[in-house]
Amino acid sequence: MVLFFQFDVREDFGVPFQAGSHFLAFMCPKHNDAAWLEEAYNDSPLPAEFWNGDSGHYAFLLYPPGVLQSDGQLDPYIAPYELEFSAATEAIEQDIGFARGATDAFKIGGLPGWLNYAPDKRCACGGQMAFLCQVPENFGFCKLPEAAEQPDGFSSDEYGLLLGNMVFVLGCDRQCDPRAMIAICDN
């Protein structure tokens, strides 16, 4: 799995997850496809261990504070960059049947930039599946020169996450399991 990005949750992000929790986003370098977990796109409840129901070509994980220690190794596919965080004000659109935040931003917290629908999901444990972050459509992650070109990618120099779709990441606000995360793709 390729590590696309990671960050530690901070209190000022305004998300309902423990400050200091560590989020990681991975995807297989040879299987570039959208995320699909049927229960994420309909009104059904999420089943127990729902994270085992996806295709297995990606993994989003949210570990509680202090669980992970870095081994210092860099990913052999994606060029390393330090994420910088800044507070921003976003325009909220409400005349579409649901409230929508910015759609063109890579962001943590705030209001999701839903394009077609705004799911309201609960984890199998009863927790709310809360918005953590979004990756905008066709957002490129610079690849290392020696890394293979991504299959079905939109660039020879970048990797796209989950086929380059707009990706919304939601996690169980009770943090019942590091794998209690869903990715919702929209375009």
Side-chain angles (χ1 to χ4, degrees):
M1 291 280 201
V2 173
L3 175 61
F4 274 72
F5 66 100
Q6 62 182 326
F7 60 85
D8 289 329
V9 173
R10 300 186 335 202
E11 284 185 30
D12 61 331
F13 290 165
V15 294
F17 305 103
Q18 293 178 47
S21 294
H22 191 74
F23 175 73
L24 303 112
F26 294 95
M27 191 176 85
C28 174
K30 296 180 180 176
H31 184 190
N32 184 16
D33 202 358
W36 184 255
L37 175 65
E38 186 173 345
E39 294 88 356
Y41 294 90
N42 61 38
D43 292 335
S44 69
L46 292 170
E49 297 186 1
F50 57 86
W51 48 84
N52 292 326
D54 64 41
S55 67
H57 72 285
Y58 65 95
F60 293 155
L61 305 164
L62 182 63
Y63 286 95
V67 171
L68 293 180
Q69 296 293 323
S70 173
D71 63 5
Q73 288 188 319
L74 297 178
D75 187 271
Y77 292 89
I78 303 288
Y81 288 93
E82 186 172 330
L83 294 176
E84 294 183 13
F85 303 103
S86 59
T89 303
E90 63 183 330
I92 305 299
E93 189 177 347
Q94 296 188 28
D95 60 349
I96 54 174
F98 52 86
R100 169 174 48 203
T103 59
D104 60 350
F106 187 114
K107 64 180 178 176
I108 301 167
L111 187 62
W114 306 118
L115 296 178
N116 296 307
Y117 43 82
D120 181 19
K121 302 302 290 181
R122 289 218 163 265
C123 182
C125 78
Q128 180 69 37
M129 295 302 289
F131 177 65
L132 175 62
C133 64
Q134 85 182 26
V135 179
E137 189 172 27
N138 294 328
F139 185 87
F141 293 84
C142 294
K143 76 174 197 66
L144 294 170
E146 61 274 14
E149 191 171 321
Q150 185 181 39
D152 300 319
F154 54 79
S155 170
S156 60
D157 298 325
E158 299 173 317
Y159 273 27
L161 184 64
L162 301 173
L163 204 56
N165 285 284
M166 178 169 261
V167 178
F168 304 99
V169 178
L170 288 77
C172 174
D173 64 356
R174 294 180 181 173
Q175 290 183 254
C176 65
D177 189 288
R179 299 167 295 174
M181 309 291 293
I182 57 174
I184 297 177
C185 292
D186 204 352
N187 63 18

